[in-house]
Amino acid sequence: MTWIKKLADEIADELDSAKEYAEDYLTFKAKENSTWANRYKEMANDELKHADYLHDRAVAEIEELRKVYTPPQDMLDKWDSDHRKFIEKTAWVKQMLAM
């Protein structure tokens, strides 16, 4: 179960980086510096991709755990909370990158 927590923390780190890069993208776009805006947009998308890979891994790990035993409800509640944050933050970053 600490493995799921570790994955959730790594997802959050990737999303934090994606958000920072997306903010930098918007800064350079506002300055009409398309070279750096495009680079930061690409870096943000890379971080989103990493977060998505880690998310897929966490979901797979939880499914594997369920085959062996019923995970504790507090672990599932924590994952559900982290998952909602993942979805919301991902949507926010994508919205920034669409500007």
Side-chain angles (χ1 to χ4, degrees), residues 1-13 15 50-66 71-88 90:
M1 288 174 264
T2 57
W3 177 246
I4 304 301
K5 170 74 170 115
K6 181 179 181 296
L7 288 171
D9 290 344
E10 289 176 9
I11 292 167
D13 288 343
L15 290 175
H50 300 161
D52 194 44
Y53 290 160
L54 292 167
H55 173 263
D56 291 347
R57 180 64 193 259
V59 169
E61 291 290 333
I62 290 169
E63 290 306 314
E64 287 296 314
L65 282 173
R66 285 185 171 152
Q73 190 58 46
D74 61 328
M75 184 197 94
L76 295 175
D77 291 344
K78 178 65 174 133
W79 170 250
D80 289 342
S81 173
D82 288 345
H83 189 255
R84 276 191 301 279
K85 290 174 189 172
F86 167 77
I87 299 297
E88 291 169 4
T90 298

Side-chain angles (χ1 to χ4, degrees), residues 9-29 36-48 51 89-90 92-97:
D9 290 344
E10 289 176 9
I11 292 167
D13 288 343
E14 296 290 342
L15 290 175
D16 287 344
S17 294
K19 182 177 178 280
E20 287 179 29
Y21 289 143
E23 289 168 350
D24 291 337
Y25 156 73
L26 290 174
T27 298
F28 283 107
K29 186 173 180 178
W36 282 106
N38 289 334
R39 287 180 182 170
Y40 277 100
K41 185 175 187 176
E42 181 180 341
M43 289 190 293
N45 279 316
D46 286 346
E47 297 299 307
L48 287 175
K89 196 168 220 178
T90 298
W92 177 244
V93 171
K94 287 182 178 182
Q95 185 176 353
M96 285 193 290
L97 296 175

